[in-house]
Amino acid sequence: MAPPFGSGLAKGLAVTLRTMTRRNITLRYPDAQPELPPRTRGVIALFEENCTVCMLCARECPDWCIYIDSHKETVPAAAPGGRERSRNVLDRFAIDFSLCMYCGICVEVCPFDALFWSPEFEYAETDIQELTHERDKLREWMWTVPEPPALDPCAEEPKEIAAARKAAEKTAQAQAAQAAAEAAEAEQRGEDGQ
């Protein structure tokens, strides 16, 4: 049996009337800041002390929007008779946010945790050339990075922690066995001496 004529129109008008009677929930943006989810991708912040200039982020970036310059410095030997070492020193770290597509590959591939997502989103510029932010600006955003969420108490223990715990337990058991053997040996010496 076909629905009665005009039932679709009646349903549509009912939805419209319901929506018209609801209270408006639009936030007045500049006056009221939005409540952002914890994993919001705003801008990329740089923790410069962890950067080893490995260039992995720049190589993996699909847009080639990360610019890194560095030079090598010679570090004197730590001990007499040791050899000098060389290390890379970061001269320039810049991200062109006019090219960035916020994929997060650079944050994911950084092996030394030098790049983080910051929830900052108010960095609009009137000139597109000013969207290339240098390391000073990226470092400022580091202080807006939220703390990582707490670990789930029901989650499986990480493999690294489980392996370290097992090694510590084995070492403790070996030390306890050695102490028991030494105590038994000392007791036996005490009986032999009587």
Side-chain angles (χ1 to χ4, degrees):
M1 181 171 168
F5 180 74
S7 65
L9 179 64
K11 287 181 184 177
L13 287 173
V15 170
T16 303
L17 287 173
R18 253 192 321 236
T19 305
M20 285 176 54
T21 59
R22 284 194 197 139
R23 187 158 192 265
N24 192 358
I25 57 169
T26 303
L27 293 176
R28 303 290 180 201
Y29 163 61
D31 300 328
Q33 292 293 322
E35 188 70 31
L36 299 173
R39 293 177 52 124
T40 299
R41 291 182 176 188
V43 291
I44 298 167
L46 172 68
F47 189 54
E48 192 176 340
E49 289 76 15
N50 284 358
C51 183
T52 61
V53 195
C54 67
M55 306 287 281
L56 202 54
C57 55
R59 281 188 301 219
E60 295 296 324
C61 179
D63 291 332
W64 293 86
C65 65
I66 299 175
Y67 310 108
I68 300 174
D69 291 329
S70 67
H71 69 275
K72 288 200 181 267
E73 264 186 12
T74 304
V75 179
R83 66 182 182 130
E84 294 180 339
R85 307 266 182 192
S86 66
R87 69 180 179 117
N88 288 330
V89 177
L90 186 65
D91 293 329
R92 178 180 187 224
F93 192 104
I95 299 177
D96 188 353
F97 285 106
S98 66
L99 295 176
C100 182
M101 64 180 184
Y102 304 92
C103 64
I105 292 175
C106 57
V107 176
E108 295 292 325
V109 300
C110 183
F112 301 104
D113 290 334
L115 297 174
F116 296 90
W117 281 113
S118 168
E120 286 292 316
F121 62 92
E122 298 176 310
Y123 58 95
E125 302 287 346
T126 55
D127 186 9
I128 195 168
Q129 293 177 346
E130 293 176 9
L131 279 174
T132 301
H133 296 287
E134 298 292 330
R135 67 180 179 179
D136 297 333
K137 185 71 172 174
L138 300 175
R139 187 182 314 119
E140 285 176 22
W141 282 324
M142 189 62 211
W143 312 120
T144 64
V145 173
E147 286 187 26
L151 295 177
D152 184 8
C154 300
E156 184 178 311
E157 186 177 37
K159 295 175 189 171
E160 296 86 1
I161 295 175
R165 186 178 42 74
K166 287 179 184 176
E169 287 174 359
K170 283 184 181 179
T171 304
Q173 288 175 353
Q175 289 175 349
Q178 183 178 4
E182 289 174 0
E185 186 176 312
E187 185 179 314
Q188 188 173 9
R189 274 193 245 137
E191 289 175 4
D192 291 341
Q194 289 178 359

